[in-house]
Amino acid sequence: MGQEKGNGLAVALLCLLTVPTSPVLAEEPSNAQLYEMYLKLREELTATQAENRALREKIETRERATTPEASASHLPVETPRSEAIAPVDEPIPPKKGSGPLAAVKGEPIPMETEFKKSYLTFRSEDGNVAYKIDGRIMMDAGFVKNTQDDNAKNMLQSNTEIRLASLAIKTRLYRDWEGKFDVNFANPSSSSTAPDGVKLRDMTLAYVGLPHTALTVGNHKPQFSMEELSSSRWTTFMENGLPVLAFVPGRRIGVSATHWEDPYSVGASLFGDAWNKNASTLNNAEGVGWAARAVGRPFIQGDADKVLHLGANYLVQQPQSDVTNKTFKINADPEVDFVDYKFLNTGDIPGVEDATTWGLELAGKWDRFYAQSEYMSTHLHRVNSGPGNPEPTYTGWYALVAAFLTDDSRAYSLENGYFGAVMPNGPWGALELALRYSTLNLNDITGYSTTGNLPIRGGRAKDLTVGLNWYVNNNIIFRANYVHVNNDDTAMGTVNTTTGVGKFVGGDTLNIYGARMEY
């Protein structure tokens, strides 16, 4: 009892010293009076703490409303919609700020490790520095049957191959800069001037400090064609359609600029030779080309679960510096790489100043279903056009439809304007069924020849492809394709312009069965 009384006197003395408004007692307070004072003091302290919390929340709310990252985009960065329609290969969304971010000198930047969207990523806490490792292995196998196998005509062989074995490092440095270095180790030495057949894919530096805008320089794909720009990792079929294989130049060294919003995306490129050409050693000027692409989305709903896509493309390309007499060649294989027989082939067309190609895109997605198509037309401009040097025009188009047999769908990228990632929902993965029809006509009635009496006979083909894709998880995919190829009588490969004889016998019909393991 004495100890409790002593404690009560101490608490009372403390209250008298810290609460000036408390009345000074003339005599020692009782325990009941001390307890009453304690309750009153606790109520005042609780009220003060509540006022402080409210004031702090108000200050933090006002600071968030005035920070640059809050007004950098019309969509909140952390909303589910912005996550669903983010660029397909975006490493880590950084925290935006005002003005350039200075490099850190002599101070280490702590990095976090995470496995996100099937990529291994190292990133700083604020997202301003990130490294992403991206490796891809594609192994193909298949066989082909054709109607010209008798009498040793067009004896086509089955094949297995490593279609792609690439290793890439993708980086974000100091918030506003992104880099990519991607090499392929699977190409045979005969297809590349680099040692051991190593082929460069993407090597780029991009500035992304402007809202919804990217400025890219290096070896990359020009802004042309929805199917060509799509990532090889998420392609619907094992290979692109006939017109894309024939008319699109592939990766070139150059510069590109892109800008996107919800309703549209636009891009343009200026490019030269492929990475393994060197004009200075060939005594030829480097060919220069440019491309432009515009995409409109008049209808988009939800997290891009429903979208209508309209696109237009234009491309100008000149003969590369490794050719003589400004020769230009257009060819295509039958939509599988392991059967690399180019029945459609114009051969080397001499005296070509440039080739202009225009294209149209129509695509759409409705939950589990999507479709896309493209039409392309290429016209060759000759150095000295005339009766002996006509200017041919070639055309082609494809259309595909696809549906998921499971409760899954394919993402649509607003930034890139194409269909991309498939992230399975169920434990057994996602199953996709697809059908594509494509046609390419490399015959032109105006024709050309050095003697002026033989037309260009590059051939014409119609392909029908059925595809079945099993996305086991985010990283493992199995594909099966059946391709029915109907070649016309002029689809003979490279044709001798003097004799009119080609490498193959025309009028062949091919049935190709292929499969791919992708990891």
Side-chain angles (χ1 to χ4, degrees):
M1 185 70 178
Q3 183 178 1
E4 293 179 358
K5 185 175 181 181
N7 292 340
L9 290 174
V11 171
L13 181 60
L14 178 63
C15 293
L16 291 174
L17 293 175
T18 56
V19 185
T21 57
S22 299
V24 179
L25 300 178
E27 58 185 12
E28 180 181 354
S30 64
N31 288 338
Q33 290 175 323
L34 289 175
Y35 184 72
E36 182 179 354
M37 293 172 61
Y38 163 75
L39 292 179
K40 184 177 180 181
L41 182 61
R42 189 173 66 174
E43 291 176 357
E44 293 177 355
L45 181 60
T46 301
T48 302
Q49 290 176 340
E51 293 175 357
N52 290 340
R53 282 196 299 269
L55 181 60
R56 184 166 58 251
E57 290 174 358
K58 184 180 296 184
I59 293 174
E60 291 176 352
T61 301
R62 182 173 300 175
E63 288 178 348
R64 285 195 299 267
T66 57
T67 53
E69 60 264 27
S71 58
S73 171
H74 62 286
L75 289 176
V77 174
E78 299 297 333
T79 60
R81 173 173 170 78
S82 65
E83 178 71 15
I85 60 178
V88 176
D89 287 331
E90 180 74 14
I92 292 293
K95 291 187 177 181
K96 292 292 182 180
S98 58
L101 184 68
V104 178
K105 297 182 179 180
E107 296 182 8
I109 301 177
M111 302 289 282
E112 303 172 349
T113 305
E114 65 179 4
F115 188 72
K116 183 178 181 182
K117 294 185 178 180
S118 68
Y119 291 105
L120 179 62
T121 303
F122 304 90
R123 62 183 295 275
S124 60
E125 183 179 357
D126 55 11
N128 291 326
V129 176
Y131 280 73
K132 183 172 71 172
I133 299 177
D134 179 8
R136 304 179 192 182
I137 299 174
M138 299 179 186
M139 184 175 68
D140 292 358
F143 61 92
V144 55
K145 297 291 185 180
N146 63 310
T147 59
Q148 295 289 353
D149 271 349
D150 58 318
N151 300 323
K153 297 177 180 178
N154 295 351
M155 295 295 290
L156 308 183
Q157 304 297 322
S158 302
N159 192 23
T160 59
E161 70 172 11
I162 304 298
R163 178 66 177 91
L164 181 67
S166 70
L167 180 63
I169 298 176
K170 304 174 182 180
T171 65
R172 182 189 298 275
L173 294 177
Y174 309 115
R175 186 178 58 211
D176 296 333
W177 297 91
E178 291 183 355
K180 184 187 298 186
F181 181 74
D182 188 350
V183 293
N184 179 19
F185 300 93
N187 289 276
S189 298
S190 59
S191 67
S192 171
T193 60
D196 300 325
V198 175
K199 183 179 180 181
L200 183 66
R201 283 163 50 85
D202 291 307
M203 188 180 71
T204 58
L205 176 66
Y207 178 73
V208 293
L210 302 175
H212 295 179
T213 302
L215 306 175
T216 305
V217 59
N219 195 66
H220 62 291
K221 296 177 181 178
Q223 289 292 308
F224 185 89
S225 173
M226 180 180 190
E227 190 171 51
E228 171 67 9
L229 292 173
S230 300
S231 172
S232 62
R233 179 183 176 188
W234 301 114
T235 180
T236 304
F237 297 93
M238 292 174 63
E239 301 296 336
N240 290 335
L242 287 175
V244 180
L245 293 172
F247 298 144
V248 182
R251 290 175 172 86
R252 297 290 183 86
I253 297 177
V255 296
S256 295
T258 57
H259 178 76
W260 66 95
E261 300 289 347
D262 276 13
Y264 68 90
S265 57
V266 293
S269 302
L270 180 68
F271 57 88
D273 277 352
W275 69 276
N276 56 351
K277 313 294 183 184
N278 190 343
S280 64
T281 65
L282 300 169
N283 297 320
N284 289 326
E286 181 170 357
V288 178
W290 62 275
R293 180 172 183 247
V295 171
R297 290 175 281 266
F299 174 79
I300 182 170
Q301 189 177 92
D303 296 334
D305 294 327
K306 300 175 178 63
V307 62
L308 177 62
H309 168 113
L310 304 174
N313 301 266
Y314 194 77
L315 169 70
V316 177
Q317 51 182 324
Q318 294 180 341
Q320 297 192 74
S321 58
D322 63 331
V323 302
T324 57
N325 196 23
K326 291 185 176 293
T327 56
F328 196 85
K329 179 191 296 184
I330 302 177
N331 55 37
D333 56 37
E335 297 182 337
V336 286
D337 190 76
F338 63 84
V339 180
D340 192 18
Y341 299 110
K342 291 182 170 53
F343 288 88
L344 304 182
N345 196 333
T346 64
D348 292 330
I349 304 174
V352 175
E353 184 68 28
D354 60 54
T356 59
T357 305
W358 61 271
L360 298 175
E361 303 172 2
L362 174 62
K365 175 188 172 185
W366 193 275
D367 296 328
R368 293 188 298 168
F369 306 91
Y370 69 95
Q372 75 178 57
S373 62
E374 293 187 71
Y375 175 87
M376 298 181 187
S377 177
T378 294
H379 181 76
L380 302 186
H381 297 92
R382 309 292 290 279
V383 177
N384 297 308
S385 62
N389 291 289
E391 298 184 333
T393 299
Y394 308 111
T395 59
W397 62 274
Y398 77 86
L400 71 86
V401 292
F404 281 89
L405 307 180
T406 53
D407 186 21
D408 296 280
S409 65
R410 184 178 290 271
Y412 177 85
S413 171
L414 293 183
E415 174 184 354
N416 301 301
Y418 59 63
F419 295 114
V422 178
M423 300 294 175
N425 292 317
W428 296 102
L431 201 61
E432 179 185 38
L433 182 63
L435 178 69
R436 179 177 66 193
Y437 177 83
S438 60
T439 180
L440 178 65
N441 185 5
L442 297 185
N443 294 327
D444 187 274
I445 58 173
T446 59
Y448 95 96
S449 75
T450 55
T451 60
N453 59 5
L454 287 176
I456 297 177
R457 295 188 181 277
R460 182 174 184 174
K462 301 174 182 177
D463 289 7
L464 179 65
T465 304
V466 180
L468 181 63
N469 301 319
W470 178 27
Y471 303 88
V472 181
N473 49 47
N474 296 352
N475 292 84
I476 300 175
I477 306 171
F478 292 97
R479 306 185 189 276
N481 280 189
Y482 163 72
V483 186
H484 179 77
V485 181
N486 186 1
N487 292 328
D488 74 350
D489 292 337
T490 61
M492 298 184 291
T494 305
V495 177
N496 186 297
T497 57
T498 301
T499 64
V501 177
K503 182 177 180 180
F504 302 106
V505 175
D508 205 352
T509 300
L510 287 65
N511 292 289
I512 305 173
Y513 305 85
R516 170 176 293 173
M517 180 278 294
E518 182 176 334
Y519 177 70

